[in-house]
Amino acid sequence: MKNLLYSNLVDYIDQLSIENLSQERKEILDTLAEFIQGKIDNNEVCNLNFICTHNSRRSHLGQVWAQSMASYFNVFPFYAYSGGTVATAMHNNIGLALKEVGFSIENLAEMENSVYAISLGENLPKVIGFSKVYDHSFNPKTQFGAIMTCSQADEGCPFIAGAEKRVALTYDDPKEFDGIPNALEKYKERSEQIATEMKYVFTKIKN
């Protein structure tokens, strides 16, 4: 379904280089790839839930980029979700960083915890972005992979009910740059890091 993604998004993914990932990082990412491959091999739906404390930044990026790479590499049925240990709001800089590389984002409900429709392509299902706890009714309850994108959530939630697999794939929080002039650039860097690692994961999947 690569050709269904927005052309600017395809161009962005095309130029992402996976060559400089460390061996340590690849070993963690390979664990995630093995989980996805197992689901595909067994003709099962693959669900991933990207989990961070506030479900405001890194977990949203993980969800959006995983879903995008599934489309880019024609891996299906695949669905990415996100959640936190508490609900807050998807940070505005996440939407801005995603828009810059080719996503279309619509604010469906403007409120303290706004709901966004994140479009990968005109004829692809939209990713619905809003902050929620990881076991919210919007998310799968069983047979999913739990991807822990921050160390606080990983340490604070030793058990994720319903998860078949748990992978600690943690990232530095771009929140630490909030309030400085180039904050958006730091969000874009984190988005690119996550996009690159999700690209690596999906290059390993054989349909």
Side-chain angles (χ1 to χ4, degrees), residues 2 24 60 65 91 112 121 128 148 158 177:
K2 175 180 178 178
E24 179 183 12
H60 286 291
W65 281 118
H91 195 278
E112 186 174 347
I128 303 302
M148 314 303 290
F177 300 102

Side-chain angles (χ1 to χ4, degrees), residues 50-59 83-88 131-134 148-157 173 175:
F50 290 82
I51 300 171
C52 198
T53 304
H54 298 111
N55 188 210
S56 58
R57 296 170 175 81
R58 292 163 286 181
S59 47
T85 55
V86 296
T88 54
S131 186
K132 69 199 88 59
V133 291
Y134 67 83
M148 314 303 290
T149 60
C150 76
S151 56
Q152 185 178 358
D154 186 42
E155 295 164 2
C157 292
D173 193 352
K175 178 182 179 179

Side-chain angles (χ1 to χ4, degrees), residues 8 50 65 101 145 169 178 183 188 204:
N8 287 351
F50 290 82
W65 281 118
V101 298
L169 184 62
D178 286 355
K188 289 160 60 177
K204 312 288 282 188

Side-chain angles (χ1 to χ4, degrees), residues 19-57:
E19 303 303 319
N20 295 324
L21 295 174
S22 69
Q23 186 58 38
E24 179 183 12
R25 201 64 177 173
K26 286 180 179 178
E27 288 175 2
I28 299 171
L29 296 167
D30 286 344
T31 301
L32 175 54
E34 288 167 7
F35 175 77
I36 298 171
Q37 188 69 66
K39 289 293 188 180
I40 300 303
D41 290 346
N42 291 327
N43 295 313
E44 297 176 0
V45 174
C46 182
N47 291 318
L48 297 183
N49 192 355
F50 290 82
I51 300 171
C52 198
T53 304
H54 298 111
N55 188 210
S56 58
R57 296 170 175 81

